[in-house]
Amino acid sequence: GQQVMQIPQYQHVQEGEDFTTYCNSSTTLSNIQWYKQRPGGHPVFLIQLVKSGEVKKQKRLTFQFGEAKKNSSLHITATQTTDVGTYFCAGLMNTGFQKLVFGTGTRLLVSP
Amino acid sequence: EAGVAQSPRYKIIEKRQSVAFWCNPISGHATLYWYQQILGQGPKLLIQFQNNGVVDDSQLPKDRFSAERLKGVDSTLKIQPAKLEDSAVYLCASSSSFRGSGNTIYFGEGSWLTVV
């Protein structure tokens, strides 16, 4: 079936260090979306990438969509304790209708 | 703009009992989704509606789960009878359309179910 995997599953960094999570899909995606979920919260939409090779930045966050539209990455520069949470990528698969398949998530812990 | 509303926020039931969750999507959003999120995992799509029609229910355990969106607005997800493995957060989400790209999906705060 359609799968979206993320690595690593978990990362613990010191505040100020960088962090990257990688997302890989078994099928080509129409777009890739990224969500952040705080402990006890619900997924909150961060950004959407549509074009092959697209790169977008939000302050310290850099998002990239692969050339083949099957992988993506999220990089956080100089992490802060407010970055704590689980980051999910979600691939939009065109199966005749829009189907959003979530990745397995990367849990980020930031120590002060 | 009001977000996606869900109730109840928390529910504890015994196995073999039934439970129902309610969702009111963002006004004007034709597409409504129910996701199941088990602790430590990503959300898994259970069912997707376009207005009051089902677009995808391929991962819905139909022997015990049912969902409806009779008037194309609110939706109810029911579990009967519940099993221990149904303990999860049930997330409702909505978007303005399900065709094409560029349609952001907005999530409600979720209904947390514990089956004991």
Side-chain angles (χ1 to χ4, degrees), chain A residues 9 30-31 33 35 37 39-45 48 50 88 92 96-105, chain B residues 33 35 37 40-43 45 48 55-56 58 91 95 97-105 107-109 112:
Chain A
Q9 265 191 310
S30 296
N31 71 37
Q33 301 175 20
Y35 292 78
Q37 186 172 25
H42 60 281
V44 175
F45 176 80
Q48 177 175 267
V50 179
F88 291 100
L92 191 67
F97 56 89
Q98 177 177 300
K99 182 172 184 174
L100 193 66
V101 179
F102 276 78
T104 47
Chain B
Y33 313 80
Y35 282 86
Q37 186 174 24
Q41 299 181 16
L45 181 67
Q48 179 175 334
V55 174
D56 181 12
S58 57
L91 295 161
S95 67
S97 175
F98 73 99
R99 294 204 179 276
S101 62
N103 299 309
T104 302
I105 295 177
F107 283 84
E109 294 192 356
W112 296 65

Side-chain angles (χ1 to χ4, degrees), chain A residues 48-96:
Chain A
Q48 177 175 267
L49 304 169
V50 179
K51 298 177 184 175
S52 169
E54 189 171 10
V55 177
K56 286 188 176 180
K57 291 191 175 185
Q58 285 181 351
K59 298 181 180 177
R60 296 178 293 104
L61 277 61
T62 302
F63 304 83
Q64 189 165 7
F65 199 9
E67 294 290 340
K69 299 184 76 172
K70 294 179 75 171
N71 56 71
S72 182
S73 64
L74 158 60
H75 179 83
I76 303 178
T77 304
T79 55
Q80 299 175 358
T81 54
T82 52
D83 295 327
V84 164
T86 301
Y87 292 85
F88 291 100
C89 64
L92 191 67
M93 301 187 179
N94 193 348
T95 57

